[in-house]
Amino acid sequence: MPGPSASAHQVLIYSGPGVSPLSLSHTILTLSLLLLPHYTVQPVTPEILSSQPWEPSCALLVIPGGRDLPFVEELTIKRKVTKRIKEYVEEGGRYLGICAGAYFGTNEVKFDMGGPMEVVGKRDLAFFTGPSEGPTFPGFQYASEEGSRAVSLFLEPSSSSSSHRSLDHVYYNGGGHFVVPTPIPSNVSILARYASAPSTTGREEEPVAAVLTRNGKGKSLLCSIHPEYPLNDPPARIAINKLEHPPEIEEIEASDKARIAWVEELLLLLGLNPPSRNRKDGQVVESMEIEGEDPALLLHPTHPSPIFVLSHPNLPDLPVRSVLKQEFESKMSNDDAWGILNDGNDQIRFGDITAISGETTSEDEVARWLAKKRREQPIFDPPSVENLNLNSNEITPPIPQPPDFHSIPKTVLLPSFQTPYSARWTPLFNFSTYWSEIDLARKSGGRRSGIMRKGDEGEKCALGDLLFYGETVTSTQTMLDRNPILLTNLSSPLAFLASFQLSGRGRGSNIWLSPPGCLQFSLLLDLPASLSSKMVFIQYIMALAVCEAVDEDGRLGVRIKWPNDIYADVEGVGGTEVGSGKKGKAKLGGILVNTNFVGGKWRIVVGCGINVLNALPTTSLSQLHSLLTSKSTSLSSSKPLPAAPTMEGTFARIMNSFDSKWEQFIEEKGFKGFMEEYHGRWLHSGQEVTLTHTEPHTPLRILSITPDHGLLRCIPINKKKPTSSNGLTPLYNRNVDNGEDRYISSSTNSSSSTGNKPDFVDLQPDGNSFDLMSGLIKRKL
């Protein structure tokens, strides 16, 4: 197999079975920040590694943290990719292995020898000729933070830095150390040692944490800790807080800058060329201060950011046709190259990319402008001097209020043919990857991608082909729902996606928080007037679409909590332990639907937030994937693991799933065709609850939702208990209480076998509060 060509520019990060989704996500983000635009950084599946000629264009192949055994199963046994990787490196390629990826790159793994998690065996890559032994520190548990810790490293002098240094507070969880033969082989360079690890070799030297090896014409770098994790966020922050004397925030920030600078040094040692302009005598001076970029602001935004309007590459004219319509332009005022729209909730500036600095705006200029926007703090009106009187006899001054982000003018950027989209502009969400993912999702369902579809009101794009994206917004739901000009005139279907929300909305007065790793979006849809009585089902369709998209075969335990929440129902969450036989329940996400009758038609705004890559203790798809990987490994399951979740892939699959279900809902004029699927996904079959707004309280058993109005159908529980079981599962058991079916349409007027009329209690989703944990249904006040 060939090695990389002279123009190799792709950094490929393995995203198949065994990889930790959180490690994958942060590896992509960290390397993107350091390497764009000199290189593209993208995930790569085992299918591509086995079937495509990736080697000539690959500048670096990365195996992130996760599990070594699934790597062996997928890449060595099943697909025979390991041989290609080894030949690629020997012909001049580069390999970076992080934690499990480092184990995988050694000659032999010795993990938890003699313990319950023992993994021992030779590895085919063998870039490092000695073994990797671990865990280096005690306490490691799969799918847990019990054994995580913040460690310090002693960094060896290198070509990038000639001095001895230490690197503090770096995240560790289960990594090993490299047993270097004596004398040290000529092709091995020790890069870092653990500063305070127990000695396992009997030698005085600290255990080796990172090595660089030269293999034929190429290089590999194996790192047993996790330098990709930012220190201000979980899981690294959780590990730092375990220290006997936790550092101050300033110390953590200094350590985080040193962490990023070290990763850049590692890339330089591998022979890559990061586009840093701040080097002096070959040394990195202030890494990541490039163009004023501050990576901490990416994960801790302080104010709304510019919003991009993007479309499928096959439909480049779609943003301008959909946004800059006569209805908008007639309501705008002009300010140089910007159109200003004063809407009901927000003032919005519209302009294309060239509005930033003229017709010659370059990709680099846009990146620097966005970095500047992240740093610029908004100015809010201070309280008047009269209200700051300290005289206790005077009127009490007003309580300080949080900043009103809705008062800040918003910026919407449309594409420019002169300056095409660059992944540098959206470091938290790569749209090139997203377009590939949605094309793949549609293809698997036999649907064409990137085309306009004919409808009753002319041509429309598919859902997911026209997007608004803001790195940080007030609320995607509010921006669409409370700006009547936008709401009335924007083309649909449209999706509005954000990486962070500062004022996210839930049901009622609830606030939806959006920590790093949360996927939140709103959809703008048109509903035919003939289906106005079926609006309640929209939240159910979205819930089904999310479940299907993120957990197709149900093994992750993603379920629906009526009426509009997404839950995990699986061992290892909600206080339960893996292997205990008891499932726990924890919230993964929620759904919010707003309806508006404007311009003679129903405009629907469907909001959804789902935890995809959130670190523990938040329950997320990433955690569920880790739990399933742990269970599959312990049971030696031969069934392939689902792909590790990513933000781009998860969003693409949700868009594709909802789009097909929405079409079915419109075509069938209702929800009846989804009933069986819905009941198969929800949490409540046969659940016993108590209706608290009756006297005395009424014990009920949940049967179903009604197919006509989407009500929660329950039946009072008789005191008389069944004396025997008929062996049927609860979902299909027709011998419940008075002999009635578990699912009976609300229009049913038939009697039971005893001649008694069914005594149903039907509850509205918007009039009652359903407390899943305590089994109570009470009227909302």
Side-chain angles (χ1 to χ4, degrees):
M1 287 292 174
S5 68
S7 60
H9 63 282
Q10 292 182 338
V11 174
L12 302 179
I13 304 176
Y14 173 75
S15 62
V19 73
S20 159
L22 202 59
S23 178
L24 171 64
S25 175
H26 282 296
T27 301
I28 292 173
L29 175 61
T30 298
L31 295 186
S32 295
L33 288 171
L34 285 167
L35 293 174
L36 293 175
H38 286 193
Y39 303 87
T40 63
V41 180
Q42 61 195 78
V44 62
T45 64
E47 290 82 5
I48 290 177
L49 291 176
S50 66
S51 63
Q52 300 296 319
W54 51 270
E55 292 92 341
S57 60
C58 180
L60 173 66
L61 178 65
V62 185
I63 309 288
R67 304 261 180 127
D68 161 76
L69 278 181
F71 296 165
V72 175
E73 174 68 26
E74 189 71 22
L75 299 178
T76 303
I77 299 173
K78 182 179 177 182
R79 298 187 184 274
K80 312 299 183 185
V81 170
T82 307
K83 182 180 179 181
R84 286 183 62 173
I85 297 175
K86 188 165 186 175
E87 291 177 351
Y88 155 76
V89 171
E90 289 175 346
E91 290 298 320
R94 307 172 184 93
Y95 174 95
L96 171 60
I98 299 172
C99 198
Y103 280 117
F104 188 59
T106 61
N107 178 59
E108 185 179 10
V109 171
K110 297 180 179 179
F111 183 82
D112 195 34
M113 293 182 63
M117 300 178 291
E118 182 178 84
V119 176
V120 178
K122 295 288 186 177
R123 296 294 179 262
D124 287 2
L125 286 179
F127 294 135
F128 175 72
T129 55
S132 179
E133 298 181 356
T136 300
F137 295 90
F140 173 75
Q141 296 179 24
Y142 284 119
S144 169
E145 292 299 310
E146 288 297 319
S148 68
R149 62 181 64 208
V151 300
S152 294
L153 301 178
F154 292 137
L155 304 183
E156 297 290 327
S158 69
S159 59
S160 297
S161 177
S162 59
S163 61
H164 288 272
R165 296 160 295 150
S166 65
L167 185 65
D168 297 323
H169 310 126
V170 184
Y171 178 73
Y172 166 94
N173 196 9
H177 50 275
F178 305 98
V179 182
V180 182
T182 303
I184 298 177
S186 59
N187 73 323
V188 175
S189 299
I190 296 173
L191 302 182
R193 296 178 182 270
Y194 290 103
S196 58
S199 175
T200 58
T201 63
R203 304 175 184 175
E204 294 184 359
E205 301 98 339
E206 294 84 0
V208 175
V211 294
L212 177 73
T213 69
R214 287 166 293 283
N215 308 95
K217 301 177 183 178
K219 297 178 180 180
S220 75
L221 198 151
L222 309 180
C223 183
S224 58
I225 48 86
H226 284 279
E228 76 276 22
Y229 284 111
L231 304 188
N232 275 309
D233 295 285
R237 188 58 182 264
I238 294 174
I240 290 172
N241 290 340
K242 295 180 183 178
L243 293 172
E244 183 178 358
H245 301 291
E248 298 293 330
I249 185 65
E250 292 80 10
E251 295 177 75
I252 297 175
E253 290 176 351
S255 295
D256 203 44
K257 284 189 176 183
R259 169 190 69 86
I260 297 171
W262 188 54
V263 174
E264 187 168 15
E265 288 182 24
L266 299 182
L267 295 173
L268 288 166
L269 289 172
L270 280 168
L272 273 73
N273 181 31
S276 172
R277 298 175 184 172
N278 294 303
R279 294 200 190 100
K280 185 177 181 180
D281 298 328
Q283 298 184 17
V284 178
V285 179
E286 280 291 338
S287 177
M288 293 308 296
E289 295 299 324
I290 308 164
E291 301 168 355
E293 185 65 272
D294 182 353
L297 286 177
L298 285 172
L299 298 178
H300 299 275
T302 60
H303 55 277
S305 64
I307 298 166
F308 288 93
V309 186
L310 300 165
S311 65
H312 193 284
N314 292 351
L315 302 169
D317 297 332
L318 193 57
V320 174
R321 291 192 325 187
S322 302
V323 175
L324 293 186
K325 300 188 294 188
Q326 178 62 35
E327 294 87 348
F328 279 117
E329 292 184 340
S330 63
K331 296 177 174 62
M332 290 182 187
S333 59
N334 293 320
D335 180 10
D336 293 331
W338 301 93
I340 311 299
L341 176 68
N342 290 301
D343 214 329
N345 192 79
D346 295 279
Q347 183 188 88
I348 306 169
R349 301 194 317 154
F350 289 88
D352 67 21
I353 296 298
T354 61
I356 293 173
S357 59
E359 292 294 330
T360 59
T361 302
S362 67
E363 175 205 29
D364 191 61
E365 286 175 312
V366 177
R368 286 188 282 112
W369 182 79
L370 291 168
K372 180 181 178 183
K373 288 295 182 182
R374 292 187 191 103
R375 296 194 313 273
E376 288 180 345
Q377 296 299 314
I379 299 174
F380 298 97
D381 293 334
S384 62
V385 176
E386 292 79 6
N387 290 330
L388 297 178
N389 194 326
L390 299 180
N391 189 332
S392 60
N393 295 324
E394 298 293 332
I395 299 175
T396 304
I399 299 173
Q401 297 296 313
D404 179 14
F405 293 115
H406 295 290
S407 66
I408 301 173
K410 311 304 186 296
T411 299
V412 173
L413 291 172
L414 285 90
S416 165
F417 291 108
Q418 291 88 351
T419 311
Y421 164 79
S422 166
R424 294 179 70 198
W425 304 344
T426 58
L428 299 179
F429 195 94
N430 188 316
F431 280 91
S432 298
T433 301
Y434 166 74
W435 301 126
S436 298
E437 291 279 2
I438 200 165
D439 285 348
L440 183 63
R442 289 168 177 164
K443 183 179 179 181
S444 65
R447 296 159 66 89
R448 296 174 63 188
S449 193
I451 61 170
M452 299 297 286
R453 302 174 181 176
K454 293 181 179 180
D456 295 338
E457 299 181 3
E459 287 190 329
K460 287 192 173 185
C461 65
L463 179 64
D465 280 350
L466 176 62
L467 298 171
F468 278 30
Y469 170 76
E471 195 171 274
T472 307
V473 304
T474 50
S475 161
T476 59
Q477 197 77 359
T478 298
M479 285 284 291
L480 293 178
D481 182 58
R482 296 185 180 173
N483 286 307
I485 301 176
L486 282 183
L487 181 66
T488 304
N489 296 297
L490 280 176
S491 296
S492 71
L494 175 145
F496 190 173
L497 169 70
S499 292
F500 291 98
Q501 291 188 129
L502 300 170
S503 310
R505 286 166 57 189
R507 282 167 60 88
S509 59
N510 294 333
I511 295 174
W512 176 259
L513 301 177
S514 58
C518 181
L519 176 70
Q520 48 263 311
F521 59 89
S522 295
L523 309 180
L524 178 62
L525 306 165
D526 288 333
L527 183 74
S530 60
L531 289 177
S532 59
S533 64
K534 306 296 183 182
M535 289 179 182
V536 69
F537 291 110
I538 297 174
Q539 59 195 326
Y540 303 161
I541 294 172
M542 176 55 77
L544 278 177
V546 170
C547 288
E548 179 181 80
V550 306
D551 188 16
E552 185 175 9
D553 60 9
R555 286 191 291 161
L556 295 182
V558 179
R559 298 292 182 266
I560 299 169
K561 172 183 173 287
W562 184 84
N564 52 13
D565 286 330
I566 308 298
Y567 264 66
D569 181 39
V570 68
E571 292 179 2
V573 304
T576 64
E577 297 181 359
V578 176
S580 65
K582 183 179 180 181
K583 293 182 178 180
K585 296 177 174 61
K587 187 171 180 177
L588 286 172
I591 297 162
L592 175 66
V593 178
N594 294 109
T595 60
N596 300 268
F597 191 74
V598 294
K601 58 185 176 182
W602 285 104
R603 304 227 86 180
I604 312 298
V605 183
V606 186
C608 181
I610 183 82
N611 296 333
V612 178
L613 296 173
N614 311 51
L616 291 171
T618 305
T619 302
S620 65
L621 296 177
S622 172
Q623 183 193 0
L624 300 185
H625 190 275
S626 296
L627 291 171
L628 179 61
T629 303
S630 176
K631 184 177 181 180
S632 299
T633 302
S634 63
L635 297 177
S636 300
S637 174
S638 59
K639 189 172 183 180
L641 290 166
T646 63
M647 300 298 278
E648 294 86 354
T650 300
F651 185 58
R653 286 187 289 274
I654 292 174
M655 291 299 96
N656 181 61
S657 180
F658 184 87
D659 193 29
S660 62
K661 292 183 186 302
W662 182 254
E663 286 185 358
Q664 180 182 343
F665 175 67
I666 299 298
E667 182 179 340
E668 297 179 357
K669 296 181 171 54
F671 195 73
K672 289 184 180 181
F674 299 99
M675 292 293 288
E676 184 175 350
E677 181 184 0
Y678 186 84
H679 289 132
R681 286 285 189 179
W682 78 339
L683 286 168
H684 309 302
S685 298
Q687 183 175 357
E688 295 185 1
V689 294
T690 301
L691 191 63
T692 62
H693 56 260
T694 63
E695 288 297 338
H697 294 176
T698 305
L700 304 172
R701 182 173 296 151
I702 298 174
L703 302 179
S704 63
I705 59 170
T706 63
D708 47 2
H709 298 107
L711 307 178
L712 184 68
R713 170 147 290 179
C714 305
I715 192 168
I717 298 175
N718 290 345
K719 293 181 180 180
K720 184 177 179 180
K721 299 293 183 182
T723 57
S724 63
S725 170
N726 60 13
L728 296 176
T729 62
L731 181 59
Y732 299 105
N733 186 359
R734 294 175 176 271
N735 186 22
V736 177
D737 292 328
N738 290 327
E740 301 302 329
D741 290 350
R742 296 298 303 272
Y743 163 68
I744 301 178
S745 170
S746 60
S747 62
T748 296
N749 293 318
S750 61
S751 301
S752 69
S753 57
T754 61
N756 296 326
K757 187 176 181 179
D759 188 14
F760 294 139
V761 177
D762 292 343
L763 302 171
Q764 297 182 16
D766 292 328
N768 299 279
S769 177
F770 186 19
D771 187 340
L772 173 69
M773 301 306 174
S774 59
L776 300 177
I777 299 178
K778 54 187 178 181
R779 192 182 303 279
K780 289 183 179 178
L781 301 177

